[in-house]
């Protein structure tokens, strides 16, 4: 059994649950034991943990950029360093001061200089690390365990439901298309919206059903919807997004409408598993098209589920990681 030291920043973070925690058992079956440690805020404890890297086959650094001194210490201690990333961590999601930007850039440069292999959630992130000097960068997409998800059985309905899953930080992306959803309701009078998150949006026109997010309740909540939506603006932060919600929708057998930004355009197959509206004005017509055609929803939902099982499952990611780690 080859031991892998995993250094992460937060065990409750979605990126940890999806890209590391879900792989612990599948990788154990493939001969790798993941020993997970949370990066300590204490300098002494953190440096003591970094020096233990010499006792492992490899180190998997998850998402967190390293201070230059920590990066140098880890490089001296570790046989091999893998860096797992599924967000544009070298940038900030919101405007910030010059000092914060400088620190982030410095850490990005230091981390890229010492890792042996970057494992990115999409090609955009892999390219950013290559340009910064990372030795090798591969793409392993964000995946799910398909067995966790209930598969939607589509049926004719006078009240079709759009569903959006996310968090308070990405809720503004949904807010930007509320008016477009309201325009779609002019064509489909019974149209509704389901939100699964820690916050929701309001509309005077479209009824909104809010379901507070929980890991246990997520599969049931998703199939309350008929169509999964993933509106995404285009900027250097969102280009680093890895389309997790889209993979969830497809695992639940839902057709998807997603902005053709970043990984979205690679995950969704236009006309097969969903639609990629070229402009905001295309959203109302595409929503109405899917809302009014149950056979199309069923066909796209089945195609999406098959795509998840074949290319975006935990087992496929475990195979990829085992090859890299070995």
């Amino acid at each position: 059994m080859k031991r892998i030291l995993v250094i992460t920043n937060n065990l409750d973070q979605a990126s940890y649950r999806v890209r590391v925690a879900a792989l612990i058992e599948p990788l154990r079956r493939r001969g790798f034991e993941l020993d997970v440690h949370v990066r300590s805020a204490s300098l002494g404890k953190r440096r003591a943990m970094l020096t233990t890297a010499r006792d492992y086959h490899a180190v998997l650094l998850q998402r967190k950029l390293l201070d230059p001194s920590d990066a140098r210490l880890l490089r001296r201690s570790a046989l091999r360093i893998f860096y797992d990333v599924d967000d544009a961590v070298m940038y900030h999601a919101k405007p910030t001061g010059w000092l914060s930007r400088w620190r982030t850039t410095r850490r990005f440069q230091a981390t890229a200089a010492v890792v042996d292999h970057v494992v990115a959630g999409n090609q955009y992130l892999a390219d950013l690390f290559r340009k910064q000097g990372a030795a090798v960068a591969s793409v392993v997409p964000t995946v799910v365990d398909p067995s966790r998800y209930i598969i939607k059985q589509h049926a004719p309905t006078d009240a079709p439901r759009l569903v959006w899953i996310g968090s308070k930080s990405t809720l503004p992306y949904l807010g930007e298309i509320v008016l477009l959803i309201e325009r779609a309701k002019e064509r489909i009078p019974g149209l509704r919206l389901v939100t699964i998150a820690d916050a929701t949006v309001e509309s005077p026109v479209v009824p909104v059903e809010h379901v507070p997010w929980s890991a246990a309740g997520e599969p049931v909540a998703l199939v309350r919807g008929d169509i999964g939506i993933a509106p995404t603006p285009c900027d250097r932060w969102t280009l680093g997004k890895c389309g997790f919600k889209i993979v969830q929708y497809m695992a639940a057998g839902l057709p998807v409408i997603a902005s053709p930004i970043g990984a979205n355009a690679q995950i969704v197959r236009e006309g097969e598993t969903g639609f990629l509206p070229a402009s905001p004005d295309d959203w109302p017509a595409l929503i109405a098209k899917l809302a009014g055609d149950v056979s199309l929803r069923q066909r796209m939902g089945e195609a999406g589920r098959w795509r998840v099982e074949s290319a975006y499952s935990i087992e496929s990611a475990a195979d990829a990681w085992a090859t890299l780690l070995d």
Side-chain angles (χ1 to χ4, degrees), residues 191-321:
L191 189 67
R192 297 172 178 271
L193 172 65
V194 178
T195 59
I196 308 168
D198 52 352
T200 190
V201 294
E202 295 181 356
S203 167
V205 176
V206 179
V208 179
E209 304 169 14
H210 179 60
V211 181
W213 180 87
S214 72
E218 182 180 84
V220 174
L222 281 170
V223 293
R224 289 178 63 171
D226 299 287
I227 303 160
I229 58 173
T232 312
C234 184
D235 57 45
R236 64 182 189 175
W237 172 260
T238 57
L239 285 169
K241 292 294 182 182
C242 295
F244 180 45
K245 61 169 55 67
I246 296 174
V247 179
Q248 291 180 293
Y249 297 148
M250 296 196 307
L254 300 178
V256 179
I257 304 176
S259 305
I261 303 301
N264 295 6
Q266 279 71 56
I267 299 171
V268 177
R269 288 184 170 170
E270 174 71 29
E272 181 181 335
T273 64
F275 294 115
L276 296 163
S279 75
D281 288 339
D282 293 333
W283 276 83
L286 292 175
I287 290 172
K289 181 180 179 67
L290 274 172
D293 192 335
V294 63
S295 63
L296 181 59
R297 296 200 303 271
Q298 183 69 36
R299 186 165 66 251
M300 285 187 165
E302 290 173 353
R305 173 70 186 200
W306 179 86
R307 183 151 166 74
V308 168
E309 290 176 348
S310 60
Y312 294 93
S313 72
I314 288 292
E315 293 301 318
S316 63
D319 286 339
W321 270 105

Side-chain angles (χ1 to χ4, degrees), residues 5 36 48 58 69 76 98 107 120 123 164 182 233 242 246 278 295:
L5 172 62
V36 179
S69 60
R76 289 196 300 269
W98 70 266
R107 289 166 181 165
Q123 193 62 53
W164 179 87
E182 292 174 352
C242 295
I246 296 174
S295 63

Side-chain angles (χ1 to χ4, degrees), residues 64-130:
K64 181 68 177 179
L65 295 172
L66 295 175
D67 292 326
S69 60
D70 284 353
R72 290 191 295 269
L73 176 58
L74 182 60
R75 180 68 279 172
R76 289 196 300 269
S77 305
L79 176 63
R80 288 191 301 164
I81 305 171
F82 292 83
Y83 184 73
D84 177 54
V85 59
D86 68 343
D87 259 326
V89 293
M90 66 292 297
Y91 304 130
H92 293 265
K94 298 179 181 179
T96 188
W98 70 266
L99 181 58
S100 181
R101 294 196 303 273
W102 175 78
R103 286 173 176 166
T104 298
T105 299
R106 187 165 171 258
R107 289 166 181 165
F108 175 39
Q109 293 169 342
T111 303
V114 300
V115 298
D116 296 296
H117 202 132
V118 172
V119 182
N122 66 24
Q123 193 62 53
Y124 171 78
L125 295 173
D127 289 343
L128 287 176
F129 272 90
R130 288 192 191 100

